[in-house]
Amino acid sequence: TAATAVLARQAKAQGLLGGKLTADTEFAENDYRRNGERDEFLENLRRVDRLRFLVRDNVESLPDAALRVALSPPAVSTVVTGMMRREEVDQNVKASGAPLPTEDVERVRALYRTSR
């Protein structure tokens, strides 16, 4: 039997789950996100707020939670994510070894289904 491995990408939702974007964020001229609809961006930030319940116990941040959610399906073998600083590399490695509780992952899935 052949094994299938899934490579996940955009786990941080183009920066929305990176923990740094706010309603006051203005994107640089050369940032493709500048061309998006402002109302959609604000609605997506409200969706992100609904995920803050994940940041507790051993989950230190939204980026940490986002990587753990992306890694939760058994078929996912890796997540491709942007890393600009050594600190981000270290955070990503740490997140990869600690799965979220099943009930948290199920709650995230339910929120995703109802927010479309």
Side-chain angles (χ1 to χ4, degrees):
T1 62
T4 301
V6 175
L7 178 101
R9 64 184 190 91
Q10 292 197 8
K12 296 179 188 174
Q14 299 175 340
L16 282 166
L17 296 171
K20 295 180 181 173
L21 300 180
T22 69
D24 296 325
T25 298
E26 293 197 24
F27 297 107
E29 288 288 329
N30 63 346
D31 190 320
Y32 69 94
R33 296 172 295 182
R34 183 180 185 90
N35 300 322
E37 292 291 326
R38 186 75 181 162
D39 289 342
E40 184 178 343
F41 173 69
L42 295 174
E43 178 56 33
N44 285 335
L45 286 178
R46 286 188 283 277
R47 289 180 179 131
V48 167
D49 280 339
R50 293 182 209 133
L51 298 173
R52 295 202 185 275
F53 74 92
L54 294 167
V55 181
R56 66 182 197 288
D57 301 330
N58 67 340
V59 180
E60 298 175 4
S61 64
L62 277 175
D64 184 12
L67 291 175
R68 292 181 194 207
V69 168
L71 285 165
S72 66
V76 174
S77 59
T78 192
V79 176
V80 176
T81 183
M83 296 171 272
M84 300 289 286
R85 299 181 322 273
R86 169 71 185 205
E87 172 186 279
E88 292 171 315
V89 173
D90 293 341
Q91 289 169 347
N92 291 348
V93 169
K94 183 178 177 184
S96 71
L100 287 174
T102 303
E103 57 272 8
D104 286 355
V105 174
E106 290 303 320
R107 185 172 169 191
V108 169
R109 288 182 181 146
L111 286 169
Y112 179 77
R113 285 190 298 269
T114 60
S115 70
R116 295 162 121 214

